[in-house]
Amino acid sequence: MDRTILGGSVGQVKHMQRLCSMSGWWFPATIALFPYREIPMSAHDIRSAKRPDPDQPMVDIANYVADYRIDSTEAYDTARYMLLDSLATAMMAMKFPECVKHLGPVVPGATLPGGARVPGTSHELDPVQAAFAIGTQVRWLDFNDTWLAAEWGHPSDNLGAILAVADYLSRKAGSEGGKALSVRDVLTYAIKAHEIQGCYALLNSFNRVGQDHVILVRLASTAVATAMLGGSKEQIVTAVSHSWIDNGALRTYRHAPNAGPRKSWAAGDACRRAVTHAINAVYRGVVDYPSALTAKTWGYYDVAFKGKSFEFERPFGSYVMENVLFKISFPAEFHAQTAVECAMQLHAQVAGKLDQIEKVVIETQEAGCRIIDKTGPLANYADRDHCIQYMVAVPLIFGRLTADDYNDDVAADPRIDALREKMVVTENPQFTKDYFDPEKRYIGNSVQVFFKDGSSSEKVSIDYPIGHRKRRAEGIPVLLKKFEAAMRGHLPSHKVKAILEATADPAKLDAMPIQAFLGLFTL
C-alpha cells in the first residue's frame, strides 16, 4: 500500500470511533475536521534498523570541544571575571537556608573523601552530586551572568559541572601522581561551554516550545565534562546524544501561577545530569544514538521542536564569553536590570510622594513583557524576582534592591503592592529591535512616574546595564567589589586574604592548580 487515506463523513468517523473503542484502539476525534484526501507516506523506512551517521550538530560540538583553540585574550580576561563573579554569587547564596539544604550529599553519609568540594562548605562529594550543589549555589540568587537572544540563560551555570569534574580529577591526579588541571584549563572549558550554550540560544527559542533554558546547560556541560574526563570525539557525540534524548524540563516553574524555587536549582540539576552522561560515555562505554535529533517521529526535532531543525548564526568561537552580560548591581532577572537602574535614578523624586502617584509607566522589550510582567499576589521569593513591577517598586520606595528585598518581611510592606497596582507595562518596539540586533544586544527599559496633580517625573531610559560589554570599564571595578564583599560575608578573614592575593595577578591565577584554588573557598 503506497498511500494512507484520511477523512470521510461525520457518520463514518463516528462509526470508526465506536469500533475502535470496542477494540481498545485510539481513533482521533479531530480526524472529522479533515476533508477526504490522500497523504503520501514518508520516504523514511521506519522499519530499518540501519544506524545513520551522527547528526551534524552533535558532530560540530564534538569537533569544537576537542579541536578548537581559544586565542582570544578578551575571552580569557572575561572568563576570569566570570569565575570570580560566579563564586561571589555562590558565597552570597550561603546566607539562604533554602539553598544550603540542597548542597550536601543526596542522602546523609553519602560523602566521598578526596572527592569534589563545594565552595563555602566542608562537603566532599562525588562529582555528580557536587555538580548539582555548585550549580545550585551559582544560580540560587539569579545574580550570575546572563545571555539574551531567542533563548535566555546563564552560561556560568555550567561551572557546576566544570568545577566539580575539575576538582575531582585534579585531587585524584594529586593522590596518584598525575597532572592536575590549572585554572587556565578551567577557563578554557568555561569559554567553550559558554559558546555552545550561547550560540544555540541565538536563533533557537526553546521557551517558545515550553522548555526551560537549562536544556542548554545540560548540553554544554555534557560536552565539556566528557572532554575533561578524557573522552574522544566519538564519546562526546555519544554523551551529547544522551543529553538530547533527555528532552527538556518544562519552564512552568518560572512563570505565573507556578513560579517557585525550582528555578534556582534547575541548572544544578542539569549539571548533575550532564556529568552522569559524561561518566557513562567515558567510563561505561554506553552506546550512542546517532539520530537523537533527526529520527522521524521519535527524535528531538519531531517530539519537542515542532519538526524544525536548529539554526545557527555563527560558528563556534569565543563570541559568547566576550559579549556575556554580568549582573553586578542588582540580583534581578536580567530583562529588568535597566528598569531597576531607572527606578534608582527616580527614587529621590518619588519616595516622598508615593501617596500622590497616579501611575507608573514601564516600557520594556517583548521578552520582558512575556516573562516578568506579573500582576496579583506574589507567593514567594522566586515569584518576586521574576516580576518587573516588584523590581521597580522596591527601588522607587527604598532606593535599593538586594537579595533580601525578595524575602517575605520586605514583601509585606503594603506600599509595594499598592505601587505595583499603579504600574502599566508596555512593549517598546525599539527596545525589542535593539535586543535582537547582534551588534547591540541591548536590554532597554524606561520608567516614568505620573502624579495625581497632572505632573510627572522625567522619563528615564537606559539601553544597556552596567554589566554589558559596552560598559566593561565601568562594570569591572563594581564586579570586583561584589566579589570581595561576598567573600568577606561568608569566609573567615585568613581565607579572604589568601583569595584576594591569589586573584590579584591574572598570570599567577591561571597557572594555579584548580584544586589549590578551590581549596581556598572550603571550610
Side-chain angles (χ1 to χ4, degrees):
M1 184 176 180
D2 62 358
R3 65 180 183 267
T4 300
I5 301 176
L6 297 180
S9 68
V10 173
Q12 288 172 321
V13 169
K14 290 184 176 180
H15 178 64
M16 286 297 296
Q17 286 177 313
R18 285 195 295 271
L19 291 177
C20 289
S21 177
M22 292 170 62
S23 304
W25 300 340
W26 175 73
F27 188 85
T30 52
I31 202 166
L33 301 177
F34 296 94
Y36 177 89
R37 58 195 174 98
E38 296 185 357
I39 301 178
M41 293 184 68
S42 171
H44 176 75
D45 185 355
I46 62 172
R47 300 170 302 164
S48 175
K50 181 181 178 182
R51 295 174 83 80
D53 292 333
D55 291 331
Q56 193 60 46
M58 300 193 299
V59 174
D60 291 342
I61 285 177
N63 288 337
Y64 170 67
V65 172
D67 295 338
Y68 190 85
R69 180 179 177 83
I70 307 294
D71 57 7
S72 167
T73 299
E74 182 181 10
Y76 277 108
D77 289 344
T78 308
R80 211 173 290 112
Y81 291 126
M82 178 277 304
L83 177 61
L84 302 187
D85 182 68
S86 301
L87 288 168
T89 303
M91 294 304 96
M92 294 168 71
M94 295 301 295
K95 294 181 179 180
F96 293 81
E98 284 296 305
C99 174
V100 174
K101 73 181 184 182
H102 288 288
L103 304 183
V106 67
V107 295
T111 58
L112 181 64
R117 293 160 298 182
V118 180
T121 77
S122 58
H123 295 308
E124 295 180 89
L125 307 174
D126 68 86
V128 173
Q129 187 61 11
F132 170 77
I134 299 170
T136 296
Q137 284 181 306
V138 171
R139 183 87 282 272
W140 191 265
L141 293 180
D142 202 356
F143 208 4
N144 60 321
D145 71 9
T146 299
W147 187 249
L148 302 176
E151 187 54 58
W152 322 296
H154 309 275
S156 58
D157 290 350
N158 293 287
L159 284 179
I162 294 170
L163 292 179
V165 172
D167 198 34
Y168 169 74
L169 290 175
S170 297
R171 296 188 81 194
K172 185 172 183 289
S175 66
E176 298 175 353
K179 183 180 180 181
L181 293 165
S182 67
V183 171
R184 179 80 170 191
D185 294 327
V186 165
L187 298 182
T188 300
Y189 287 118
I191 292 168
K192 291 186 176 183
H194 271 61
E195 191 73 0
I196 293 168
Q197 180 175 348
C199 283
Y200 266 78
L202 288 173
L203 299 178
N204 303 294
S205 179
F206 296 84
N207 63 81
R208 288 192 179 274
V209 295
Q211 295 194 342
D212 193 28
H213 54 69
V214 297
I215 192 172
L216 295 181
V217 176
R218 191 183 66 220
L219 173 69
S221 286
T222 295
V224 298
T226 305
M228 293 174 75
L229 292 170
S232 64
K233 288 183 184 179
E234 291 75 17
Q235 289 169 324
I236 296 172
V237 169
T238 294
V240 166
S241 73
H242 281 267
S243 180
W244 284 122
I245 287 172
D246 277 356
N247 208 332
L250 303 180
R251 60 176 289 122
T252 186
Y253 49 73
R254 297 190 190 275
H255 297 275
N258 289 319
R262 176 168 176 156
K263 73 181 182 61
S264 296
W265 55 260
D269 198 37
C271 290
R272 171 167 55 190
R273 190 68 178 161
V275 178
T276 297
H277 289 318
I279 289 172
N280 284 342
V282 177
Y283 294 162
R284 300 195 173 102
V286 296
V287 301
D288 68 324
Y289 297 89
S291 58
L293 293 172
T294 61
K296 297 298 181 184
T297 306
W298 314 118
Y300 180 84
Y301 288 159
D302 277 3
V303 170
F305 219 58
K306 298 184 177 181
K308 294 174 56 181
S309 57
F310 296 139
E311 299 177 67
F312 300 94
E313 179 182 281
R314 60 182 60 240
F316 296 133
S318 55
Y319 171 81
V320 176
M321 185 63 80
E322 292 163 357
N323 288 277
V324 78
L325 304 161
F326 287 118
K327 286 187 182 180
I328 301 175
S329 299
F330 312 109
E333 203 281 339
F334 214 98
H335 293 91
Q337 286 280 317
T338 52
V340 177
E341 282 197 61
C342 293
M344 290 289 289
Q345 290 188 24
L346 290 171
H347 165 70
Q349 302 177 44
V350 171
K353 303 168 61 177
L354 295 176
D355 60 338
Q356 302 173 41
I357 293 176
E358 178 73 28
K359 66 178 178 178
V360 179
V361 176
I362 304 170
E363 294 181 1
T364 189
Q365 337 83 35
E366 182 275 336
C369 289
R370 188 150 50 92
I371 305 168
I372 51 176
D373 177 9
K374 194 180 295 183
T375 62
L378 301 175
N380 51 54
Y381 183 111
D383 230 358
R384 296 168 195 136
D385 78 354
H386 270 55
C387 172
I388 193 170
Q389 291 94 334
Y390 189 95
M391 291 182 279
V392 167
V394 170
L396 284 177
I397 297 168
F398 301 107
R400 65 167 198 262
L401 183 64
T402 69
D404 290 336
D405 287 322
Y406 300 114
N407 288 336
D408 292 347
D409 57 339
V410 176
D413 189 316
R415 294 176 298 173
I416 296 176
D417 283 345
L419 193 53
R420 284 178 58 221
E421 291 178 1
K422 298 176 180 179
M423 293 185 180
V424 178
V425 178
T426 62
E427 178 193 355
N428 182 317
Q430 188 62 47
F431 288 160
T432 301
K433 181 180 178 181
D434 291 343
Y435 176 91
F436 287 111
D437 186 335
E439 300 303 317
K440 291 183 177 179
R441 300 287 181 203
Y442 291 172
I443 315 98
N445 280 282
S446 69
V447 178
Q448 187 171 18
V449 180
F450 294 84
F451 297 99
K452 295 176 182 178
D453 63 3
S455 64
S456 65
S457 73
E458 62 177 315
K459 180 179 181 179
V460 180
S461 183
I462 299 175
D463 286 328
Y464 43 88
I466 192 172
H468 195 280
R469 186 184 188 184
K470 290 182 179 291
R471 294 174 68 180
R472 283 281 191 264
E474 177 187 0
I476 293 305
V478 182
L479 184 153
L480 293 175
K481 288 181 181 178
K482 170 187 173 183
F483 174 71
E484 181 173 349
M487 298 304 108
R488 295 192 184 282
H490 181 67
L491 297 173
S493 58
H494 71 280
K495 289 275 187 179
V496 176
K497 182 175 184 293
I499 289 169
L500 295 178
E501 289 175 354
T503 56
D505 185 327
K508 289 182 179 179
L509 176 61
D510 284 5
M512 194 172 186
I514 188 62
Q515 77 275 24
F517 178 66
L518 291 177
L520 300 175
F521 294 83
T522 57
L523 299 178

